[in-house]
Amino acid sequence: MAHLSGEDRGQILLVAAFALAVIFVAMALIVNSAIFTENLASRGETSGSDGALSMRADVATSVGAGVEAANRNDNGSVGELTDAVSASVRNISRQTGRQSARSGRVVDVSYQSATEGARIYQSDGT
Amino acid sequence: MRGQAHTLEATVAGLLMLSSLIFALQMTAVTPLSASTSSQHIENQQAATGQGVLATAADQGALKPAVLYWNNSSSRHHDVGVQQFYTSGPPDNRFGAMLSRAFNENGIAYNVYFRFQTSDGDPITRRYVYSGVPTDNAVTATHTVTLWDDDPLYEADGTPSSTRLSTENVTYPMPDTGANLYNTVRVEVVAWRI
């Protein structure tokens, strides 16, 4: 067995290696935390809700145009008007829903109710 | 014997250092977030730009005129080549100008597709602007526009013409799928870095 005496042993090497190893591991952790922060930063905070909001705006515009078209083309009676509007809403719901399904969105538009309004017009053109 | 002990200790120290180095190098792997042309940050930005262009065009009333930018007599889009879609830059309308300002000067290529549907719900895809096959890192932005029977086709200078989608013998190639409603088109902008 070796006689390992006093100051001549190579422990300093071991200690230095151990210190370096600790530094490397610490560096790895630091780099990792940067990756984690980047990952957090690239996620939107409103992920999911902005798609629904923009779709709601689109649908509102489309239904508005449908009401306009019904007023222009099917203005014989209130029944005709509401039928035309609800037909447009059904079409919008079906077509927009199918289009949005491509990007994993489900859209359902339904007709709820209508209030009969009044229209002012000049019956005599002169 | 002392030399052997030193050798042993040095070997152990070397192994310790080597294994910690390997461990540290493993940590600097290339992730989807490392800076490159396919970085997730860039994809997010391009998707937001595309979405912004579409939303602005829709808000300013430039999106539907771009969809209906149709030459009824030659039954193709205005000023388009032998193909039925634009290949050398965007069309000469407001939506085209917006696309060009947002993308063309930044080294980003883009395609624009229109996705209509038949009355049975089958999709009909038409190219509008086509720059080539997108890369794996392309992003998509979409906007849905509803076309109505009373919507006019648009002239080459961007003014509405007297021809409407409900006019007899209109050459716009999409089926009429409803009473007042003509068709629903999904405008898709696919952008990627080149």
Side-chain angles (χ1 to χ4, degrees):
Chain A
M1 204 51 211
H3 175 63
L4 304 171
S5 70
E7 62 257 44
D8 281 346
R9 295 174 58 192
Q11 277 172 346
I12 193 91
L13 269 177
L14 256 181
V15 169
F18 188 72
L20 276 173
V22 168
I23 288 170
F24 281 140
V25 171
M27 264 169 49
L29 285 179
I30 290 166
V31 170
N32 231 348
S33 74
I35 291 174
F36 180 66
T37 323
E38 273 191 333
N39 185 12
L40 282 187
S42 64
R43 286 184 210 159
E45 282 176 21
T46 57
S47 57
S49 64
D50 50 350
L53 285 174
S54 70
M55 185 45 76
R56 189 177 69 172
D58 287 1
V59 166
T61 313
S62 298
V63 173
V67 173
E68 271 177 37
N71 273 305
R72 207 161 38 230
N73 302 327
D74 310 286
N75 50 18
S77 68
V78 176
E80 260 183 62
L81 262 179
T82 49
D83 283 353
V85 171
S86 63
S88 293
V89 168
R90 268 200 310 279
N91 265 325
I92 290 170
S93 180
R94 202 183 62 236
Q95 298 194 352
T96 309
R98 222 174 249 137
Q99 301 270 30
S100 307
R102 285 175 151 276
S103 54
R105 235 180 247 168
V106 177
V107 179
D108 184 24
V109 193
S110 59
Y111 175 84
Q112 283 215 310
S113 65
T115 312
E116 190 179 337
R119 186 167 63 126
I120 301 172
Y121 66 100
Q122 187 177 11
S123 59
D124 186 353
T126 56
Chain B
M1 289 306 266
R2 174 178 291 175
Q4 283 169 349
H6 277 172
T7 311
L8 202 67
E9 279 166 337
T11 312
V12 170
L15 273 177
L16 203 63
M17 273 195 63
L18 208 63
S19 55
S20 66
L21 243 178
I22 289 169
F23 179 70
L25 283 177
Q26 289 286 320
M27 285 297 137
T28 59
V30 176
T31 69
L33 297 168
S34 306
S36 72
T37 53
S38 60
S39 159
Q40 181 73 39
H41 290 299
I42 293 175
E43 286 182 18
N44 287 356
Q45 270 178 12
Q46 285 171 352
T49 309
Q51 205 68 55
V53 168
L54 284 172
T56 313
D59 192 53
Q60 301 204 342
L63 198 53
K64 193 180 275 188
V67 175
L68 298 175
Y69 196 63
W70 187 259
N71 188 336
N72 197 41
S73 48
S74 66
S75 65
R76 57 178 59 175
H77 289 289
H78 290 292
D79 303 323
V80 79
V82 279
Q83 294 99 343
Q84 299 287 309
F85 43 87
Y86 298 94
T87 49
S88 51
D92 185 20
N93 52 30
R94 280 169 66 208
F95 179 53
M98 287 178 188
L99 281 173
S100 129
R101 278 204 299 274
F103 289 128
N104 274 15
E105 288 152 18
N106 299 329
I108 298 173
Y110 56 90
N111 292 345
V112 181
Y113 303 97
F114 293 157
R115 299 198 193 277
F116 299 88
Q117 50 191 302
T118 64
S119 37
D120 296 333
D122 297 329
I124 309 171
T125 301
R126 281 185 73 87
R127 292 170 180 169
Y128 187 57
V129 180
Y130 193 69
S131 323
V133 181
T135 64
D136 291 346
N137 303 105
V139 294
T140 307
T142 61
H143 198 94
T144 309
V145 179
T146 312
L147 303 178
W148 301 90
D149 283 350
D150 294 330
D151 284 337
L153 297 177
Y154 284 79
E155 306 277 8
D157 61 1
T159 53
S161 73
S162 56
T163 314
R164 294 174 186 280
L165 286 174
S166 54
T167 309
E168 281 293 311
N169 301 325
V170 73
T171 56
Y172 203 71
M174 291 304 136
D176 188 352
T177 56
N180 282 326
L181 187 144
Y182 185 79
N183 211 314
T184 303
V185 55
R186 183 177 148 95
V187 182
E188 273 188 24
V189 175
V190 178
W192 68 97
R193 200 174 172 82
I194 44 174

